[in-house]
């Protein structure tokens, strides 16, 4: 099934790659893993990320897959997308730097034993971390963030603990062009 949401993900990713290919600023493509944890809540998020840099700032977009860990109270899975902005404490175009940033994550999650409507979740996230560049082309970015997950849909197809504060450690790695 090729849904409207998947079409939107592909359009945004293609647009970002096309715009950045004409620019002189470096850009990165890689994978990312995040582990949101909150009161009575754990999740796994894996995804594909794109980030475009200029002197002190960067803009990122990504598509994500969400799934519950084996030891979770109830199972769920779903897809999402995010957009973010980071400000570094050094020159982004030439190397490794600490950063702070903001990200907004939208996710459609389906919960076991509930309807398959895809509960829309909205999570604004503040993050800090360090962006390492190895050689000229490889990167890794450990980060820690805090977000607050909000249920946007009003249907009763999520659990009560699915809304609330989250500590979100993450790790991204990939290739710099």
């Amino acid at each position: 099934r090729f849904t409207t949401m998947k079409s939107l993900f592909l359009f945004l990713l293609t647009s970002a790659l096309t715009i950045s290919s004409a620019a002189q600023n470096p850009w990165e493509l890689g994978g990312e893993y995040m582990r949101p944890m909150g009161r009575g809540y754990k999740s796994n998020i894996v995804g594909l990320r794109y980030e475009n840099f200029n002197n002190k700032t960067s803009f990122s977009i990504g598509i994500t897959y969400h799934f519950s860990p084996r030891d979770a109270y109830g199972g769920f899975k779903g897809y999402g997308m995010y957009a973010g902005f980071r400000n570094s404490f050094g020159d982004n175009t030439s190397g490794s730097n600490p950063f702070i940033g903001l990200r907004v994550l939208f996710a459609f999650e389906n919960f076991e034993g509930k309807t398959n409507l895809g509960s829309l979740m909205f999570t604004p996230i503040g993050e800090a971390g360090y962006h390492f560049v190895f050689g000229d082309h490889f990167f890794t970015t450990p980060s820690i963030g805090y977000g607050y997950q909000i249920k946007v849909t009003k249907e009763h197809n999520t659990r009560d603990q699915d809304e609330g504060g989250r500590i979100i450690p993450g790790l991204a790695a990939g290739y710099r062009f």
Side-chain angles (χ1 to χ4, degrees):
R1 269 179 42 200
F2 200 71
T3 64
T4 305
M5 194 64 177
K6 289 178 186 174
S7 298
L8 179 62
F9 292 152
L10 290 174
F11 173 74
L12 290 173
L13 187 60
T14 304
S15 297
L17 291 173
T18 303
I19 290 169
S20 69
S21 64
Q24 295 299 318
N25 298 331
W27 57 278
E28 295 174 346
L29 190 62
E32 183 168 27
Y33 174 77
M34 294 179 279
R35 173 76 173 191
M37 297 175 283
R39 193 168 133 197
Y41 180 88
K42 286 188 262 182
S43 175
N44 295 297
I45 301 174
V46 293
L48 179 66
R49 67 177 284 115
Y50 163 83
E51 192 162 7
N52 189 359
F53 298 87
N54 63 28
N55 189 29
K56 292 273 190 193
T57 59
S58 66
F59 173 75
S60 64
I61 59 172
I63 55 175
T64 59
Y65 176 70
H66 304 235
F67 59 99
S68 58
R70 280 182 250 163
D71 62 346
Y73 173 70
F76 64 90
K77 61 185 175 181
Y79 294 93
M81 69 178 291
Y82 69 83
F85 175 83
R86 290 179 174 168
N87 188 39
S88 77
F89 296 103
D91 183 9
N92 269 334
T93 59
S94 63
S96 303
N97 296 297
F99 66 86
I100 57 172
L102 297 172
R103 180 188 307 209
V104 177
L105 171 67
F106 292 93
F108 291 95
E109 296 179 348
N110 292 314
F111 296 85
E112 290 178 5
K114 303 287 184 172
T115 61
N116 242 4
L117 296 175
S119 299
L120 177 59
M121 304 292 196
F122 168 74
T123 310
I125 302 168
E127 63 180 341
Y130 201 91
H131 185 264
F132 295 98
V133 177
F134 301 101
D136 289 332
H137 297 289
F138 297 98
F139 77 91
T140 186
T141 308
S143 63
I144 186 78
Y146 181 81
Y148 193 88
Q149 186 163 303
I150 300 164
K151 291 190 278 189
V152 177
T153 54
K154 299 301 178 196
E155 296 88 8
H156 298 288
N157 52 350
T158 65
R159 300 178 309 269
D160 290 336
Q161 68 267 31
D162 295 328
E163 189 168 26
R166 307 279 184 260
I167 297 201
I168 308 170
L171 180 65
Y175 192 81
R176 177 176 265 214
F177 296 87

